[in-house]
Amino acid sequence: MSAKLLMVLVPALLSGCVSLDPHYERPQGAVSSQMPSGEAYRSLQGTPASNYRDLSWQDYVLDAKLRQVVAMALDSSRDLREAVASVKSAHAQYGEERANLFPAISAGVSGTRSRALTGEGNQTAISNSYSAEGSVSSFELDLFGKNQSLTREQYETYLGTLQGARSTRLTVLYNTVDYWLQLAADRSNLAIAKETAESARQSWQVTRKQMENGIASMVDVSSAETTYQSAQADVASYSTLVAQDKNALDLVVGRSVPDNLLPDSIESIGNALREVPAGVSSEALLNRPDVLQAEHNLKSANASIGAARANFFPSITLTGSGGVGSSDLSTLFKNGAGIWSFAPSISLPIFQGGYNVSYLKYTKAQKEYYVAAYEKAVQTAFQEVADALARRGTINDQLSSQQRNVAASQTYYHLADLRYRNGVDSYLNALTAQRTLYSARTNLVSTQQAYYLNLITFYKVMGGGTALKESEIMSAQ
């Protein structure tokens, strides 16, 4: 029985020991190892590097409402569900390819019972035949590592898809915070537009009464009306934007966000996101999920070259079986006679119309493509981080200046309005002061939004929270 078992299992003992994959080296020199310097980055000099990949979003998002909205998005986002499904599909395809490394072993029991003439007159005899076999069917010996290369190719594709899911998860987080902040900003702008419209309406009424008393001119009345109508138009515009912002937020979240989780205004959210030191290391850039995905795609292309090279070498296929046979079912596994078959075959490529050569050239060209794609991913990461750093280095100064500008504009408008009402100055100065205050307030809203957006942008471009295990990604749905 040991010999019979060996006949079935011998293919499993033979595995390829030759790999024709090119030696893999990570491309270098796509970007400078030094982060950019200049006026925009001066305030960040000497800032220690932070490991954003280990910083979970729950520790980064501080606003209670926003945290609940992000949790809803990570649970219901259709984009993330698509990404997780792609990971599951890629893992299954890797399992299919890996199965080719092992022989397919099957076992079966068969029996026949027949009645035939014996050759002596018309006498007949009944014969029985039973057999039990274990067999290996068409197992290709991987002497030149073709199946190993194809398995590595599929494995790297799976890992790339997993990194793609991490990148998608981070994008869903970013988009959720972005749309939530946009809604907060537009609600603030809507409130400012309504306040300005009401103030302009009151000024318009006062100016009309002054014209009736001969104090103001028709020019003053028309100027006051233009301010009112312009503010009314802004009210309508921001009302539309608020509704559209809510629709966009619902889409990225994957379901309708309850009103009690929506921000009242940009001023009401306070410290919505955590301030983390903005130091950067080159290792952090290379560990971004999109960069890792590009590198896994490159490794997959590298392995496909090995599989293409193996096509030039002979392929050896084994088909064998071993078992026992008996004319009596009751003695099949006791006194049955040993039966076996062994049918090796070898195939040597001679002429295939240039297919193997062309396929090898194709795989090499694909590797060149993925080298360029990887380098572009690194360059993109460098550019995005540099942009976020430039914004981080200047946003606090801009925010402080804009807040002082609003305070000064408020004082300017108050004084100009008093001078006009007391007949000391023309309405033109009061009108200019009102428009200046309106512009300063909306600019402050935009700056506040940019401040928070820079925080979540830096978390995204640094690969925040992507040091997750595969199980955590798969359990997101």
Side-chain angles (χ1 to χ4, degrees), residues 291-432:
V291 175
L292 291 175
Q293 181 180 16
E295 185 172 15
H296 285 304
N297 290 339
L298 175 56
K299 290 180 178 179
S300 176
N302 193 70
S304 68
I305 294 178
R309 287 175 173 175
N311 287 334
F312 290 90
F313 294 88
S315 60
I316 301 176
T317 303
L318 301 181
T319 300
S321 64
V324 293
S326 173
S327 59
D328 192 341
L329 182 60
S330 62
T331 60
L332 176 62
F333 295 103
K334 296 181 179 179
N335 302 316
I339 57 175
W340 58 268
S341 68
F342 184 60
S345 65
I346 184 170
S347 175
L348 177 65
I350 297 177
F351 177 76
Q352 292 184 323
Y355 172 83
N356 288 341
V357 174
S358 297
Y359 183 66
L360 179 59
K361 290 181 179 179
Y362 168 77
T363 57
K364 290 181 177 180
Q366 283 293 99
K367 182 179 179 180
E368 293 176 4
Y369 168 84
Y370 285 113
V371 167
Y374 173 77
E375 293 176 341
K376 180 64 179 295
V378 174
Q379 292 173 348
T380 301
F382 184 88
Q383 181 255 327
E384 290 180 350
V385 171
D387 287 349
L389 285 172
R391 177 80 284 192
R392 175 70 72 89
T394 58
I395 188 62
N396 287 325
D397 291 341
Q398 182 179 351
L399 185 59
S400 298
S401 296
Q402 198 61 52
Q403 289 170 339
R404 290 192 293 268
N405 184 35
V406 169
S409 298
Q410 185 72 52
T411 302
Y412 172 38
Y413 172 67
H414 176 68
L415 295 176
D417 186 60
L418 284 178
R419 288 172 63 85
Y420 168 68
R421 292 178 184 273
N422 293 324
V424 178
D425 209 344
S426 68
Y427 184 72
L428 179 61
N429 286 338
L431 180 61
T432 301

Side-chain angles (χ1 to χ4, degrees), residues 5 42 60 67 118 136 163 172 186 241 296 303 307 310 322 351 360 410:
L5 183 61
R42 185 166 299 174
Y60 196 72
R67 186 178 293 176
T118 62
V136 174
Q163 292 299 332
V172 169
D186 284 336
L241 290 176
H296 285 304
F351 177 76
L360 179 59
Q410 185 72 52

Side-chain angles (χ1 to χ4, degrees), residues 142-218:
D142 198 22
L143 298 179
F144 300 99
K146 177 181 178 181
N147 290 336
Q148 290 280 1
S149 295
L150 291 174
T151 301
R152 277 192 294 273
E153 176 186 1
Q154 195 60 55
Y155 180 65
E156 294 296 340
T157 298
Y158 154 67
L159 292 180
T161 307
L162 181 61
Q163 292 299 332
R166 289 191 170 103
S167 183
T168 299
R169 190 174 190 271
L170 189 54
T171 299
V172 169
L173 166 64
Y174 171 83
N175 288 339
T176 302
V177 176
D178 183 18
Y179 292 140
W180 195 82
L181 291 174
Q182 186 64 57
L183 177 59
D186 284 336
R187 281 188 164 184
S188 291
N189 285 328
L190 177 59
I192 293 172
K194 288 181 176 180
E195 291 175 11
T196 302
E198 177 59 24
S199 176
R201 186 190 65 79
Q202 294 175 4
S203 296
W204 182 25
Q205 288 181 342
V206 170
T207 306
R208 282 190 301 179
K209 289 182 180 180
Q210 289 178 337
M211 185 189 70
E212 293 172 358
N213 295 326
I215 300 175
S217 66
M218 189 63 189

Side-chain angles (χ1 to χ4, degrees), residues 45-272:
Q45 293 178 356
T47 304
S50 301
N51 189 355
Y52 278 78
R53 295 181 69 246
D54 291 332
L55 181 60
S56 68
W57 70 266
Q58 293 93 336
D59 293 329
Y60 196 72
V61 178
L62 303 180
D63 186 271
K65 292 182 179 179
L66 180 55
R67 186 178 293 176
Q68 293 183 63
V69 174
V70 170
M72 290 171 57
L74 296 180
D75 180 66
S76 303
S77 170
R78 300 309 188 268
D79 290 336
L80 191 52
R81 289 184 181 182
E82 289 179 6
V84 171
S86 296
V87 173
K88 294 178 179 178
S89 175
H91 188 269
Q93 289 177 321
Y94 161 63
E96 289 179 13
E97 192 63 52
R98 187 172 181 270
N100 292 328
L101 298 176
F102 305 96
I105 302 175
S106 60
V109 177
S110 62
T112 60
R113 180 179 176 86
S114 61
R115 180 180 181 184
L117 294 173
T118 62
E120 299 177 0
N122 291 324
Q123 294 183 355
T124 61
I126 296 176
S127 61
N128 299 313
S129 175
Y130 301 96
S131 65
E133 295 183 356
S135 63
V136 174
S137 178
S138 300
F139 175 66
E140 181 180 352
L141 296 182
D142 198 22
L143 298 179
F144 300 99
K146 177 181 178 181
N147 290 336
Q148 290 280 1
S149 295
L150 291 174
T151 301
R152 277 192 294 273
E153 176 186 1
Q154 195 60 55
Y155 180 65
E156 294 296 340
T157 298
Y158 154 67
L159 292 180
T161 307
L162 181 61
Q163 292 299 332
R166 289 191 170 103
S167 183
T168 299
R169 190 174 190 271
L170 189 54
T171 299
V172 169
L173 166 64
Y174 171 83
N175 288 339
T176 302
V177 176
D178 183 18
Y179 292 140
W180 195 82
L181 291 174
Q182 186 64 57
L183 177 59
D186 284 336
R187 281 188 164 184
S188 291
N189 285 328
L190 177 59
I192 293 172
K194 288 181 176 180
E195 291 175 11
T196 302
E198 177 59 24
S199 176
R201 186 190 65 79
Q202 294 175 4
S203 296
W204 182 25
Q205 288 181 342
V206 170
T207 306
R208 282 190 301 179
K209 289 182 180 180
Q210 289 178 337
M211 185 189 70
E212 293 172 358
N213 295 326
I215 300 175
S217 66
M218 189 63 189
V219 174
D220 293 337
V221 175
S222 298
S223 297
E225 183 179 6
T226 59
T227 302
Y228 169 70
Q229 297 298 347
S230 177
Q232 282 291 91
D234 286 346
V235 169
S237 176
Y238 284 122
S239 296
T240 300
L241 290 176
V242 166
Q244 292 175 341
D245 293 340
K246 176 60 165 60
N247 295 336
L249 182 62
D250 289 344
L251 178 61
V252 72
V253 170
R255 55 185 169 132
S256 180
V257 179
D259 291 341
N260 65 314
L261 297 182
L262 300 178
D264 296 324
S265 64
I266 197 72
E267 299 86 3
S268 67
I269 61 179
N271 297 322

Side-chain angles (χ1 to χ4, degrees), residues 34-45:
Q34 300 295 324
M35 293 304 296
S37 59
E39 186 68 26
Y41 309 96
R42 185 166 299 174
S43 64
L44 301 176
Q45 293 178 356

